[in-house]
Amino acid sequence: MSSVSSECFIKIKGISIVLLLLLSVTRGEVSANSNYADALTKSLLYFEAQRSGKLPSNQRVTWRGDSALRDGADAHINLAGGYYDAGDNVKFGFPLAFTTTMLAWSSVEMESQLKARKEHQNALAALKWATDYLIKAHPQPNVLYGQVGDGASDHACWMRPEDMTTPRTSYRIDAQHPGADLAGETAAAMAAASLAFASSNSVYAKTLIYHAKDLFKFAKAYPGVYHSSIPKAAGFYTSSGYQDELLWAAAWLHRATGEQTYLDYLLHASSSGGVSSIFSWDNKFLGAQVLAAKLVLEGKVKNVGKMAEYKSMAEQFICNCAQKGSNNIKKTRGGLLWFLPWDNLQYTTTASFVLATYAKYLDAAHTSVRCPRGFLQASDLRNLARAQVDYILGSNPKKMSYMVGYGTSYPKRPHHRGASIVSIKMDHRPVTCKGGYGTWFNNPKPNPNVLVGAIVGGPDENDAYGDNRSDPQHGEPDTVTVAPLVGVLAAIA
């Protein structure tokens, strides 16, 4: 389904829906109480718009075309495929791997809800587009390709991916040029994805486990941060360390295999990571803590020592989100959890995913979270996650949805090359590097292609948003924001 046809579908589906949208706008909301199922569908469409490589015959976002088919040629390897991470045309492996892990976690944790909404196959398709690429990026032990394209030269141009002429250099880590963070995150992605495919494609799941185990060995044997080996990534996705990725990978490998060696890694880790202030592509301590807490809540490990630490750290973050902790997360006047000035919604969606997922664990264990300022039930966590989604979808001071294509008022000029330039299927004339800036980037009109399902960076701490293509801080969507939102939307739809 193309972005245009998806919008038409909503409009013609029923007059009552159109009237409901109009009524909600007059009340100061954009159907935020909301058609979560519609938002879920759109969130998965977004990943089709981000695809790199040869597009499949069932591609629903029809304004996109094939792109970057020769990626990896400089290294004599096929690296076509994967996802462009945001509004540019670079394939950054570090955030791509985190996107993959969160898509997998969404698919695994909310499988029944995704099936009920008939989106499970679309979720697996989005996931497999990523894992197929990651498998190709790991062609042999102790080698992992972590980037294709150069951020500086890419950002100097404004070109659609289908006919871009910017360099497509391939960058890798290996034993002489290590990156335990990148290898660890990719191991986590493969292990988590193996669970998602276990019931429908067991052979593929076993392949993913093989790669996950090998990458974890690589990460442990060769410590170091990946951007020291791939300096071209440093200005865009600098890593703060690698211990969190190793814990995260061990937690996923244990969940996927049940093997004691991975639990031992968690039990004997030098640090539990402390109380996290964010959960992101760079900091996965909270994710590992939540997975460890699940084991405690299920009675599979005792609530003592390191495992008790993990559970406590996870629950303190949850308490802080719910304003019942000792170091509460800031909220805007409009009610949005506020973490950092740049692309804040990526942290809001990961936090919301933790809340929705932990609520599921609490329900199964028939227990609650004890905070410094009271108790939290599973329903409290779900309600907070739902409130954040409602804000994103329109219950906010701007009375607009921050999901592109959702509702009637949403960002029309997201910072995104492909969406802001006429589709190559409509106009085959090449868009030059600088010509793209003059003709399309500086064009005040709305983007010609609706990037359905994308979540922009979001408002500032005063709930203000300007919808300017020249403002990537607030207006650039990325895959790391939408991947966890898939799970949250499935949980509450």
Side-chain angles (χ1 to χ4, degrees), residues 242-303:
Y242 57 85
Q243 295 298 339
D244 55 327
E245 281 83 17
L246 291 177
L247 283 179
W248 178 231
W252 275 115
L253 276 161
H254 177 260
R255 182 165 175 177
T257 68
E259 294 177 16
Q260 184 66 31
T261 182
Y262 302 113
L263 181 58
D264 287 343
Y265 190 89
L266 293 173
L267 290 169
H268 301 126
S270 60
S271 171
S272 61
V275 180
S276 294
S277 58
I278 57 170
F279 178 32
S280 73
W281 57 264
D282 180 42
N283 188 334
K284 291 92 177 193
F285 277 119
L286 178 61
Q289 292 163 356
V290 169
L291 291 175
K294 180 178 186 289
L295 295 174
V296 175
L297 290 167
E298 291 174 340
K300 294 180 178 178
V301 298
K302 293 183 179 179
N303 189 25

Side-chain angles (χ1 to χ4, degrees), residues 95-115:
L96 171 58
F98 181 68
T99 294
T100 307
T101 313
M102 295 308 297
L103 265 177
W105 200 358
S106 295
S107 300
V108 170
E109 211 67 70
M110 310 304 173
E111 180 177 352
S112 62
Q113 294 95 324
L114 285 165
K115 286 181 175 177

Side-chain angles (χ1 to χ4, degrees), residues 35-241:
N35 193 337
Y36 300 128
D38 179 45
L40 173 61
T41 296
K42 286 178 163 59
S43 70
L44 289 166
L45 278 170
Y46 164 69
F47 287 97
E48 297 194 18
Q50 294 300 109
R51 284 173 170 169
S52 181
K54 177 73 175 177
L55 300 183
S57 59
N58 62 352
Q59 171 83 7
R60 297 177 295 170
V61 179
T62 56
W63 54 265
R64 280 296 322 282
D66 299 341
S67 63
L69 299 181
R70 289 183 48 79
D71 276 3
D74 62 318
H76 307 290
I77 184 174
N78 177 10
L79 293 176
Y83 289 113
Y84 302 116
D85 81 297
D88 51 29
N89 300 326
V90 182
K91 294 191 297 202
F92 289 104
F94 199 36
L96 171 58
F98 181 68
T99 294
T100 307
T101 313
M102 295 308 297
L103 265 177
W105 200 358
S106 295
S107 300
V108 170
E109 211 67 70
M110 310 304 173
E111 180 177 352
S112 62
Q113 294 95 324
L114 285 165
K115 286 181 175 177
R117 296 296 176 182
K118 301 191 183 329
E119 292 294 345
H120 185 240
Q121 289 305 312
N122 288 327
L124 291 184
L127 178 58
K128 194 170 186 292
W129 196 266
T131 51
D132 282 352
Y133 171 78
L134 294 178
I135 288 171
K136 291 192 288 187
H138 180 228
Q140 64 192 71
N142 300 340
V143 172
L144 177 64
Y145 284 85
Q147 184 172 320
V148 181
D150 169 47
S153 60
D154 183 272
H155 285 202
C157 298
W158 196 260
M159 308 177 77
R160 59 195 173 195
E162 289 81 3
D163 56 0
M164 61 182 166
T165 58
T166 47
R168 302 300 295 173
T169 310
S170 306
Y171 301 92
R172 76 183 212 178
I173 57 172
D174 52 40
Q176 291 73 42
H177 311 89
D181 39 13
L182 176 60
E185 179 57 57
T186 310
M190 299 286 209
S194 75
L195 288 163
F197 289 106
S199 61
S200 61
N201 194 339
S202 61
V203 173
Y204 190 67
K206 289 176 182 176
T207 298
L208 292 169
I209 282 293
Y210 165 79
H211 284 278
K213 288 183 173 182
D214 195 70
L215 285 163
F216 187 61
K217 290 177 185 176
F218 177 30
K220 287 195 300 177
Y222 299 97
V225 291
Y226 87 106
H227 63 261
S228 294
S229 299
I230 306 178
K232 294 288 186 180
F236 302 92
Y237 290 99
T238 302
S239 173
S240 60

